[in-house]
Amino acid sequence: MPIPSFHTIMSPLLAYTSDYNEHTLRETAENPAVYFKLTPEEGQELLPSGHTAVFDNRVGWAKMHLLKAKLLKSHIHSMI
């Protein structure tokens, strides 16, 4: 199975976080990986830069879009 697009990841990510509990970034990425039955090789496939896993990157984009739509909250605050 090819690694799903961030659009495809949005719905399972939203369903996973609908329990209103806090989840770590790692938990947030692992749950959709299990949902989509990614192989370890697919989960470790890197972007061309070689620094970030493709799936983790797509989960990040899905999360960002859900945050912008105000469907998720993040407790991470930047320091000024």
Side-chain angles (χ1 to χ4, degrees), residues 24-72:
T24 66
L25 189 57
R26 180 57 25 215
E27 290 170 339
T28 303
E30 286 174 357
N31 183 269
V34 171
Y35 176 87
F36 289 110
K37 299 177 180 152
L38 294 184
T39 66
E41 294 79 19
E42 290 169 328
Q44 295 172 358
E45 184 180 324
L46 298 178
L47 291 169
S49 67
H51 298 290
T52 305
V54 173
F55 187 74
D56 290 347
N57 178 268
R58 292 184 184 172
V59 168
W61 279 104
K63 180 184 172 200
M64 185 203 65
H65 282 273
L66 292 170
L67 286 167
K68 292 283 185 186
K70 298 188 181 195
L71 296 171
L72 284 181

Side-chain angles (χ1 to χ4, degrees), residues 1-30:
M1 167 183 216
I3 297 173
S5 69
F6 77 88
H7 291 102
T8 306
I9 294 169
M10 289 170 70
S11 180
L13 182 59
L14 193 57
Y16 175 67
T17 59
S18 68
D19 63 2
Y20 297 102
N21 292 319
E22 289 187 19
H23 299 278
T24 66
L25 189 57
R26 180 57 25 215
E27 290 170 339
T28 303
E30 286 174 357

